[in-house]
């Protein structure tokens, strides 16, 4: 598996320098990079204890990412700093099953974990420190494959491996 997640950080308007960070995840490790305006990469940190990461999404703060692993139902939070230090924490959210795929709501501070082998989707509210407070789980069909949100974030669309249909779920209902 190779996963990439981009996160913007630093600066806003008025000519301030906007920085982009990238996390590249491979077999057992995760590398944290800065991305220059020309597109070149500078490696900032490496996390060698990453295990078998199944999914990764950016967190809400600079250098933070949520990830799930193939052999665990925990959703973990990794924080990278510019000195190459990596800290990992249990985010507080349990995924429905090992190997869940993570999604971040486009406008609300929410993270979702969808497991192809389960009929449940876990939800967590992002707190100021990056931890996730579990919210009510949602029932979905076993064989869930992917999730996308409507442009306004009011609906989630789930595809399945078992049927040729798309499930439509009201967010927050």
């Amino acid at each position: 598996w190779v996963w990439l997640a981009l996160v913007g950080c630093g600066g806003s308007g008025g000519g301030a320098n906007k920085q982009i960070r990238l996390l590249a995840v491979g077999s057992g490790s995760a590398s944290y990079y800065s991305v220059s305006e020309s597109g070149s990469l500078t490696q900032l940190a490496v996390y060698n204890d990453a295990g078998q990461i199944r999914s990764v999404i950016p967190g809400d703060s600079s250098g933070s990412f949520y990830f799930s692993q193939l052999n665990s139902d925990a959703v973990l939070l990794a924080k990278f700093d510019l000195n190459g230090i990596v800290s990992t924490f249990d985010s507080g959210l349990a995924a429905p099953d090992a190997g869940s795929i993570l999604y971040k709501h486009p406008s609300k501070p929410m993270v979702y974990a969808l497991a192809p082998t389960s009929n449940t989707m876990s939800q967590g509210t992002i707190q100021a420190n990056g931890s996730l407070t579990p919210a009510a789980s949602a029932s979905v069909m076993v064989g869930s494959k992917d999730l996308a949100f409507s442009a306004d974030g009011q609906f989630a669309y789930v595809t399945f491996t078992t049927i040729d249909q798309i499930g439509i779920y009201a967010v927050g209902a």
Side-chain angles (χ1 to χ4, degrees):
W1 300 93
V2 176
W3 294 94
L4 297 174
L6 282 172
V7 63
C9 59
S12 63
N17 184 21
K18 181 103 173 145
Q19 299 176 4
I20 303 293
R21 301 285 189 249
L22 173 109
L23 184 71
V25 178
S27 56
S29 69
S31 297
Y32 183 52
Y33 297 90
S34 66
V35 182
S36 73
E37 287 184 20
S38 66
S40 64
L41 301 175
T42 301
Q43 189 174 54
L44 302 174
V46 176
Y47 175 46
N48 287 315
D49 263 342
Q52 293 181 308
I53 293 179
R54 170 65 169 109
S55 181
V56 62
I57 58 172
D60 273 359
S61 64
S62 172
S64 71
F65 298 87
Y66 297 100
F67 63 94
S68 65
Q69 297 175 313
L70 288 172
N71 58 352
S72 172
D73 66 353
V75 176
L76 301 174
L77 171 63
K79 293 184 179 183
F80 294 78
D81 74 14
L82 299 181
N83 297 316
I85 308 272
V86 183
S87 304
T88 58
F89 312 89
D90 184 329
S91 71
L93 179 67
D97 203 354
S100 291
I101 303 169
L102 303 178
Y103 301 89
K104 192 172 177 187
H105 192 277
S107 60
K108 295 180 180 184
M110 296 290 294
V111 170
Y112 300 84
L114 184 67
T117 56
S118 173
N119 66 342
T120 304
M121 178 172 50
S122 297
Q123 306 175 73
T125 303
I126 301 172
Q127 302 302 312
N129 66 357
S131 67
L132 299 172
T133 300
S137 297
S139 294
V140 294
M141 182 177 271
V142 172
S144 302
K145 182 178 179 181
D146 204 359
L147 179 143
F149 290 97
S150 60
D152 62 6
Q154 296 297 311
F155 296 94
Y157 302 93
V158 178
T159 59
F160 308 101
T161 58
T162 53
I163 59 171
D164 290 333
Q165 292 182 0
I166 298 173
I168 303 171
Y169 301 89
V171 175

